[in-house]
Amino acid sequence: SPRGNVMEHITDSADVMFWDDRLGKYVGYFRHNNRAPEAKGIPREVWRAETDRIEDWPKPTLNFRHDPAVDGPGTDFYTNGVIKYPWAYHAYFMRPSAFYRPSDLAEIQLATSRDGVTWRRPGEGRPWIGVGPVGSFDSHQLYITSGIVRVGDELWIYYTGSQSRHGRSLAPESKYVGKIARAVLRLDGFVSARGGQRPSTLTTKPMRIAGGRLILNYDAGATGEVRVEIRDEADRPIPGFTLDACQPLYGNQVHGTVSWGKAADVSTLANRPLRLHLVIRNADVYAFEFQL
């Protein structure tokens, strides 16, 4: 920049910046590596900043870091891979690489957010994309690339993998070679609510709908099923939309229409607080939406 640095902050891996239409600002997520003597034991972290002008950024502040309740000691977070997901309402995903010092390996985890500031980790430290078997191209280090590509009902996600351990790749004699790979997900298939042979239940928070049809993204295979009941704000089943009336959903569908008897139209329930109550047996439910 002719004016000098756009940010007084030092990072050394793939940072992410994008226009956030929810905020009407640019947001950036950066790796922070505090090498100050008084920071001994503090791992690498993800810091965040926002600005009205992309050429003028304030100093970032801490946004995501090692959680002692989830992560083992010696866990650092490298590339963050944050995206604002275009195909759902106010959904942000972080795909950070967790580097574990005792093993000298790095793998990709997942965190979710509704505002890009407060993050939840549905995997509780488990890998979202894990290292491959010994001898494979991605057996030791994985780092996500920015962005995501939708192709029909698939999401294509690109990452780099390496057979080198982290410490070895930093050594002067290392012949570090990385390869780019593509991971394929079903649309909205980041995480699921899963039920086993003993059915599991899920009840949403109250929400208002615009009507139309309830569409479920699920995989019940040949032996599972999913049923849905619509309840009022007080958690009471609404007549005509009960579990007993629901036609079970079988198989594997990204856009499965829920019906009760022969009816699928829920427009009579528009603009009132509702809850969805799902019963899931031998199945995964990834997402739901109401389509007009």
Coordinates of all heavy atoms in Angstrom, one line a residue, residues 51-113:
T51 N -13.6 -4.2 9.6 CA -13.3 -2.8 9.2 C -14.3 -2.4 8.1 O -14.8 -3.3 7.4 CB -11.9 -2.7 8.6 OG1 -11.6 -1.3 8.2 CG2 -11.6 -3.6 7.4
D52 N -14.5 -1.1 7.9 CA -15.3 -0.6 6.8 C -14.5 -0.4 5.6 O -15.0 -0.4 4.5 CB -15.9 0.8 7.2 CG -16.9 0.7 8.4 OD1 -17.7 -0.3 8.4 OD2 -16.8 1.5 9.3
R53 N -13.2 -0.3 5.7 CA -12.3 -0.1 4.6 C -11.2 -1.1 4.5 O -10.4 -1.3 5.5 CB -11.6 1.3 4.7 CG -12.7 2.4 4.8 CD -12.1 3.8 5.2 NE -11.1 4.2 4.1 CZ -9.8 4.4 4.3 NH1 -9.3 4.2 5.5 NH2 -9.1 4.9 3.4
I54 N -11.2 -1.9 3.4 CA -10.3 -3.0 3.4 C -8.8 -2.6 3.4 O -7.9 -3.4 3.7 CB -10.6 -3.9 2.1 CG1 -10.0 -5.3 2.3 CG2 -10.1 -3.2 0.9 CD1 -10.4 -6.3 1.2
E55 N -8.5 -1.4 3.1 CA -7.1 -0.9 3.1 C -6.7 -0.4 4.5 O -5.6 0.1 4.6 CB -6.9 0.1 2.0 CG -7.5 1.5 2.3 CD -9.0 1.5 1.8 OE1 -9.6 0.5 1.6 OE2 -9.5 2.7 1.6
D56 N -7.6 -0.5 5.5 CA -7.3 0.1 6.8 C -7.9 -0.8 7.9 O -9.1 -0.8 8.1 CB -7.8 1.5 6.9 CG -7.4 2.2 8.1 OD1 -6.5 1.7 8.8 OD2 -8.0 3.3 8.5
W57 N -7.0 -1.6 8.5 CA -7.5 -2.6 9.5 C -7.0 -2.2 10.9 O -5.9 -1.9 11.1 CB -7.0 -4.0 9.1 CG -7.6 -4.6 7.9 CD1 -7.3 -4.4 6.6 CD2 -8.7 -5.6 7.9 NE1 -8.1 -5.2 5.8 CE2 -8.9 -5.9 6.6 CE3 -9.4 -6.2 8.9 CZ2 -9.9 -6.8 6.2 CZ3 -10.4 -7.1 8.6 CH2 -10.7 -7.4 7.3
P58 N -7.9 -2.4 11.9 CA -7.4 -2.3 13.3 C -6.6 -3.6 13.7 O -6.6 -4.6 13.0 CB -8.7 -2.2 14.1 CG -9.7 -3.0 13.3 CD -9.3 -2.7 11.8
K59 N -5.9 -3.5 14.8 CA -5.2 -4.7 15.3 C -6.3 -5.8 15.7 O -7.2 -5.5 16.3 CB -4.4 -4.3 16.5 CG -3.6 -5.5 17.0 CD -2.7 -5.2 18.2 CE -1.9 -6.4 18.7 NZ -1.0 -6.0 19.8
P60 N -6.1 -7.0 15.2 CA -7.0 -8.1 15.5 C -7.0 -8.4 17.0 O -6.0 -8.1 17.8 CB -6.5 -9.3 14.7 CG -5.6 -8.7 13.7 CD -5.0 -7.5 14.3
T61 N -8.0 -9.1 17.5 CA -8.1 -9.5 18.9 C -8.4 -11.0 18.9 O -8.9 -11.6 17.9 CB -9.2 -8.8 19.6 OG1 -10.5 -8.9 18.9 CG2 -8.9 -7.3 19.8
L62 N -8.2 -11.7 20.0 CA -8.4 -13.1 20.1 C -9.8 -13.5 19.8 O -10.7 -12.9 20.3 CB -8.0 -13.5 21.5 CG -8.2 -15.0 21.9 CD1 -7.2 -15.9 21.0 CD2 -7.9 -15.2 23.4
N63 N -9.9 -14.6 19.0 CA -11.2 -15.1 18.6 C -11.4 -16.6 18.8 O -12.5 -17.0 19.2 CB -11.4 -14.8 17.1 CG -12.8 -15.2 16.6 OD1 -12.9 -16.1 15.7 ND2 -13.8 -14.6 17.1
F64 N -10.3 -17.4 18.7 CA -10.4 -18.8 18.8 C -9.1 -19.4 19.2 O -8.1 -19.0 18.7 CB -10.9 -19.4 17.5 CG -11.0 -20.9 17.5 CD1 -12.2 -21.5 17.8 CD2 -9.9 -21.7 17.1 CE1 -12.3 -22.9 17.8 CE2 -10.1 -23.1 17.1 CZ -11.3 -23.7 17.4
R65 N -9.1 -20.3 20.2 CA -7.8 -20.8 20.7 C -8.0 -22.2 21.3 O -9.1 -22.7 21.4 CB -7.2 -19.9 21.7 CG -8.0 -19.7 23.0 CD -7.1 -19.1 24.1 NE -6.0 -20.0 24.4 CZ -5.0 -19.7 25.2 NH1 -4.9 -18.5 25.7 NH2 -4.0 -20.6 25.4
H66 N -6.9 -22.7 21.7 CA -6.9 -24.0 22.5 C -7.8 -24.0 23.7 O -7.9 -23.0 24.4 CB -5.4 -24.2 23.0 CG -5.2 -25.2 24.1 ND1 -5.3 -24.9 25.4 CD2 -4.9 -26.5 24.0 CE1 -5.1 -25.9 26.1 NE2 -4.8 -26.9 25.3
D67 N -8.6 -25.0 23.8 CA -9.6 -25.2 24.9 C -9.1 -26.3 25.8 O -9.1 -27.5 25.4 CB -11.0 -25.4 24.4 CG -12.0 -25.6 25.4 OD1 -11.7 -25.6 26.6 OD2 -13.2 -25.6 25.1
P68 N -8.7 -26.0 27.0 CA -8.2 -27.1 27.9 C -9.2 -28.2 28.2 O -8.8 -29.4 28.4 CB -7.8 -26.4 29.2 CG -7.6 -25.0 28.8 CD -8.6 -24.7 27.7
A69 N -10.5 -27.9 28.1 CA -11.5 -28.9 28.3 C -11.6 -29.9 27.1 O -12.2 -31.0 27.3 CB -12.8 -28.2 28.6
V70 N -11.1 -29.5 26.0 CA -11.3 -30.3 24.8 C -9.9 -30.8 24.2 O -9.8 -32.0 23.8 CB -12.0 -29.5 23.7 CG1 -12.1 -30.3 22.4 CG2 -13.4 -29.2 24.1
D71 N -9.0 -29.9 24.2 CA -7.7 -30.2 23.5 C -6.6 -30.6 24.5 O -6.6 -30.2 25.7 CB -7.2 -28.9 22.8 CG -8.2 -28.3 21.8 OD1 -8.6 -29.1 20.9 OD2 -8.6 -27.2 22.0
G72 N -5.8 -31.5 24.0 CA -4.6 -31.9 24.8 C -3.6 -30.8 25.0 O -3.6 -29.9 24.1
P73 N -2.8 -30.9 26.0 CA -1.7 -29.8 26.1 C -0.8 -29.9 24.9 O -0.4 -31.0 24.5 CB -1.0 -30.2 27.4 CG -1.3 -31.7 27.6 CD -2.7 -31.9 27.1
G74 N -0.5 -28.7 24.4 CA 0.4 -28.7 23.2 C -0.3 -28.7 21.9 O 0.2 -29.0 20.9
T75 N -1.6 -28.2 21.9 CA -2.4 -28.1 20.7 C -2.4 -26.7 20.2 O -2.9 -25.8 21.0 CB -3.8 -28.6 20.9 OG1 -3.8 -30.0 21.4 CG2 -4.6 -28.5 19.6
D76 N -1.9 -26.5 19.0 CA -2.0 -25.1 18.4 C -2.9 -25.2 17.2 O -3.2 -26.2 16.7 CB -0.6 -24.8 17.8 CG 0.5 -24.6 18.9 OD1 0.5 -25.4 19.9 OD2 1.3 -23.7 18.8
F77 N -3.4 -24.0 16.8 CA -4.3 -23.9 15.7 C -3.7 -23.0 14.6 O -3.3 -21.9 14.8 CB -5.7 -23.4 16.1 CG -6.5 -24.4 16.8 CD1 -6.5 -24.4 18.2 CD2 -7.2 -25.4 16.2 CE1 -7.2 -25.3 18.9 CE2 -7.9 -26.3 16.8 CZ -7.9 -26.3 18.2
Y78 N -3.5 -23.6 13.4 CA -2.9 -22.9 12.3 C -3.9 -22.3 11.4 O -4.7 -21.5 11.8 CB -2.0 -24.0 11.5 CG -0.6 -24.1 12.1 CD1 -0.4 -24.6 13.4 CD2 0.5 -23.8 11.3 CE1 0.8 -24.8 13.9 CE2 1.8 -24.0 11.8 CZ 2.0 -24.4 13.1 OH 3.2 -24.6 13.6
T79 N -3.9 -22.7 10.1 CA -4.8 -22.1 9.1 C -6.3 -22.2 9.6 O -6.7 -23.3 10.1 CB -4.7 -22.8 7.8 OG1 -4.8 -24.2 8.0 CG2 -3.3 -22.4 7.1
N80 N -7.1 -21.1 9.5 CA -8.4 -21.2 10.1 C -9.5 -21.5 9.1 O -10.5 -22.1 9.5 CB -8.7 -19.8 10.7 CG -8.7 -18.7 9.7 OD1 -9.6 -18.5 8.9 ND2 -7.6 -17.8 9.8
G81 N -9.4 -21.2 7.8 CA -10.4 -21.6 6.8 C -11.8 -21.1 7.1 O -12.7 -21.8 6.7
V82 N -11.9 -19.9 7.6 CA -13.3 -19.4 8.0 C -14.1 -19.1 6.7 O -13.5 -18.5 5.8 CB -13.2 -18.2 8.9 CG1 -14.6 -17.6 9.1 CG2 -12.6 -18.6 10.2
I83 N -15.3 -19.4 6.6 CA -16.2 -19.0 5.6 C -17.6 -18.6 6.2 O -18.0 -19.1 7.2 CB -16.5 -20.1 4.5 CG1 -17.1 -21.4 5.3 CG2 -15.3 -20.5 3.8 CD1 -17.7 -22.4 4.3
K84 N -18.2 -17.6 5.5 CA -19.6 -17.4 5.8 C -20.4 -18.2 4.8 O -20.3 -18.0 3.6 CB -19.9 -15.9 5.6 CG -21.4 -15.6 6.0 CD -21.6 -14.1 6.0 CE -23.0 -13.7 6.5 NZ -24.1 -14.3 5.7
Y85 N -21.1 -19.2 5.3 CA -21.8 -20.2 4.4 C -22.9 -19.5 3.6 O -23.8 -18.9 4.2 CB -22.3 -21.3 5.3 CG -22.8 -22.5 4.5 CD1 -21.9 -23.2 3.7 CD2 -24.1 -22.9 4.7 CE1 -22.4 -24.4 3.0 CE2 -24.5 -24.1 4.0 CZ -23.7 -24.8 3.2 OH -24.1 -25.9 2.6
P86 N -22.9 -19.6 2.3 CA -23.8 -18.9 1.4 C -25.2 -19.5 1.4 O -26.2 -18.8 1.0 CB -23.2 -18.9 0.0 CG -21.8 -19.3 0.2 CD -21.8 -20.2 1.4
W87 N -25.4 -20.8 1.8 CA -26.6 -21.5 1.6 C -27.4 -21.8 2.8 O -28.3 -22.7 2.9 CB -26.3 -22.8 0.8 CG -25.6 -22.4 -0.5 CD1 -26.1 -21.8 -1.6 CD2 -24.2 -22.7 -0.8 NE1 -25.2 -21.6 -2.5 CE2 -24.0 -22.1 -2.1 CE3 -23.2 -23.3 -0.1 CZ2 -22.8 -22.2 -2.7 CZ3 -21.9 -23.3 -0.7 CH2 -21.7 -22.8 -1.9
A88 N -27.2 -21.0 3.9 CA -28.0 -21.0 5.1 C -28.0 -19.7 5.8 O -27.1 -18.8 5.5 CB -27.5 -22.1 6.1
Y89 N -28.9 -19.4 6.7 CA -29.1 -18.1 7.3 C -28.1 -18.0 8.4 O -28.1 -18.7 9.4 CB -30.5 -18.0 7.8 CG -30.8 -16.7 8.4 CD1 -31.0 -15.5 7.7 CD2 -31.0 -16.6 9.8 CE1 -31.3 -14.3 8.2 CE2 -31.4 -15.4 10.4 CZ -31.5 -14.3 9.6 OH -31.8 -13.1 10.2
H90 N -27.2 -16.9 8.3 CA -26.3 -16.6 9.4 C -25.5 -17.8 9.9 O -25.5 -18.1 11.1 CB -27.0 -15.9 10.6 CG -27.5 -14.6 10.2 ND1 -28.2 -13.8 11.1 CD2 -27.5 -13.8 9.1 CE1 -28.6 -12.7 10.6 NE2 -28.2 -12.7 9.3
A91 N -24.8 -18.5 9.0 CA -24.0 -19.6 9.3 C -22.5 -19.4 9.0 O -22.2 -19.0 7.8 CB -24.5 -20.9 8.6
Y92 N -21.6 -19.6 9.9 CA -20.2 -19.4 9.7 C -19.6 -20.8 10.1 O -19.9 -21.4 11.0 CB -19.6 -18.3 10.6 CG -20.2 -16.9 10.3 CD1 -21.4 -16.6 10.8 CD2 -19.4 -16.0 9.6 CE1 -21.9 -15.3 10.6 CE2 -19.9 -14.7 9.4 CZ -21.2 -14.4 9.9 OH -21.7 -13.1 9.7
F93 N -18.5 -21.1 9.3 CA -17.8 -22.3 9.6 C -16.3 -22.0 9.6 O -15.8 -21.3 8.8 CB -18.0 -23.4 8.6 CG -19.4 -24.0 8.6 CD1 -20.3 -23.6 7.6 CD2 -19.8 -24.9 9.5 CE1 -21.6 -24.1 7.6 CE2 -21.1 -25.4 9.5 CZ -22.0 -25.0 8.6
M94 N -15.6 -22.5 10.6 CA -14.2 -22.5 10.7 C -13.6 -23.9 10.6 O -14.2 -24.8 11.2 CB -13.7 -21.9 12.1 CG -12.2 -21.8 12.2 SD -11.6 -21.2 13.8 CE -12.3 -19.5 13.9
R95 N -12.6 -24.0 9.7 CA -12.0 -25.4 9.5 C -10.5 -25.3 9.9 O -9.6 -25.3 9.0 CB -12.2 -25.8 8.0 CG -13.6 -26.1 7.6 CD -14.4 -24.9 7.1 NE -13.7 -24.1 6.2 CZ -13.6 -24.2 4.8 NH1 -14.2 -25.3 4.3 NH2 -13.0 -23.4 4.0
P96 N -10.2 -25.1 11.2 CA -8.8 -24.9 11.6 C -8.0 -26.2 11.6 O -8.5 -27.3 11.8 CB -9.0 -24.4 13.0 CG -10.2 -25.1 13.5 CD -11.1 -25.2 12.3
S97 N -6.7 -26.0 11.3 CA -5.8 -27.1 11.4 C -5.2 -27.2 12.8 O -4.6 -26.2 13.3 CB -4.6 -27.0 10.4 OG -5.0 -27.3 9.1
A98 N -5.5 -28.3 13.5 CA -5.0 -28.5 14.9 C -3.7 -29.2 14.8 O -3.6 -30.3 14.3 CB -6.0 -29.3 15.7
F99 N -2.6 -28.5 15.2 CA -1.3 -29.1 15.3 C -1.0 -29.6 16.7 O -1.1 -28.8 17.7 CB -0.2 -28.1 14.9 CG 1.2 -28.5 15.2 CD1 1.7 -29.7 14.7 CD2 2.0 -27.7 15.9 CE1 3.0 -30.1 15.0 CE2 3.3 -28.0 16.2 CZ 3.8 -29.2 15.8
Y100 N -0.8 -30.9 16.9 CA -0.5 -31.5 18.2 C 0.9 -31.7 18.3 O 1.5 -32.6 17.7 CB -1.4 -32.8 18.3 CG -1.4 -33.4 19.7 CD1 -1.7 -32.6 20.8 CD2 -1.2 -34.7 19.8 CE1 -1.7 -33.1 22.0 CE2 -1.3 -35.3 21.1 CZ -1.5 -34.5 22.2 OH -1.6 -35.0 23.5
R101 N 1.6 -31.0 19.2 CA 3.0 -31.1 19.3 C 3.6 -32.4 19.7 O 4.6 -32.9 19.1 CB 3.5 -30.0 20.4 CG 3.2 -28.6 20.0 CD 3.7 -27.6 21.0 NE 3.1 -26.3 20.8 CZ 3.4 -25.3 21.6 NH1 4.3 -25.4 22.5 NH2 2.8 -24.1 21.4
P102 N 2.9 -33.2 20.6 CA 3.5 -34.5 21.0 C 3.6 -35.5 19.8 O 4.5 -36.3 19.7 CB 2.5 -35.0 22.0 CG 2.0 -33.8 22.7 CD 1.9 -32.8 21.6
S103 N 2.6 -35.4 18.8 CA 2.6 -36.3 17.7 C 3.3 -35.7 16.5 O 3.7 -36.4 15.5 CB 1.2 -36.7 17.3 OG 0.5 -35.5 16.8
D104 N 3.5 -34.3 16.5 CA 4.0 -33.6 15.4 C 3.2 -33.8 14.1 O 3.7 -33.7 13.0 CB 5.5 -34.0 15.1 CG 6.3 -33.0 14.4 OD1 5.9 -31.8 14.5 OD2 7.3 -33.3 13.7
L105 N 1.8 -33.9 14.3 CA 0.9 -34.1 13.2 C -0.1 -32.9 13.2 O -0.3 -32.3 14.3 CB 0.2 -35.4 13.3 CG 1.0 -36.7 13.3 CD1 0.1 -37.9 13.4 CD2 1.9 -36.8 12.1
A106 N -0.8 -32.7 12.1 CA -1.8 -31.6 12.0 C -3.0 -32.2 11.2 O -2.8 -32.8 10.2 CB -1.2 -30.4 11.4
E107 N -4.2 -31.9 11.7 CA -5.4 -32.4 11.0 C -6.5 -31.3 11.1 O -6.3 -30.3 11.9 CB -5.9 -33.7 11.6 CG -6.3 -33.6 13.1 CD -6.6 -34.9 13.7 OE1 -6.4 -35.9 13.0 OE2 -7.0 -35.0 14.9
I108 N -7.5 -31.4 10.3 CA -8.5 -30.3 10.2 C -9.7 -30.6 11.1 O -10.3 -31.7 11.1 CB -9.0 -30.2 8.7 CG1 -7.8 -29.8 7.9 CG2 -10.1 -29.2 8.6 CD1 -8.1 -30.0 6.4
Q109 N -10.1 -29.7 11.9 CA -11.3 -29.8 12.8 C -12.4 -28.8 12.3 O -12.2 -28.2 11.2 CB -10.9 -29.4 14.2 CG -9.9 -30.4 14.8 CD -9.7 -30.2 16.3 OE1 -10.4 -29.4 17.0 NE2 -8.7 -31.0 16.9
L110 N -13.5 -28.8 13.0 CA -14.6 -27.9 12.6 C -15.2 -27.2 13.8 O -15.3 -27.7 14.9 CB -15.7 -28.8 12.0 CG -17.0 -28.1 11.6 CD1 -16.7 -27.3 10.3 CD2 -18.1 -29.1 11.3
A111 N -15.5 -25.9 13.5 CA -16.2 -25.1 14.5 C -17.3 -24.3 13.8 O -17.2 -24.0 12.6 CB -15.2 -24.1 15.2
T112 N -18.4 -24.0 14.5 CA -19.5 -23.4 13.9 C -19.9 -22.1 14.7 O -19.6 -22.0 15.9 CB -20.8 -24.3 13.9 OG1 -21.2 -24.6 15.2 CG2 -20.4 -25.6 13.2
S113 N -20.6 -21.2 14.0 CA -20.9 -19.9 14.6 C -22.1 -19.3 13.9 O -22.3 -19.6 12.7 CB -19.8 -18.9 14.6 OG -20.1 -17.7 15.2

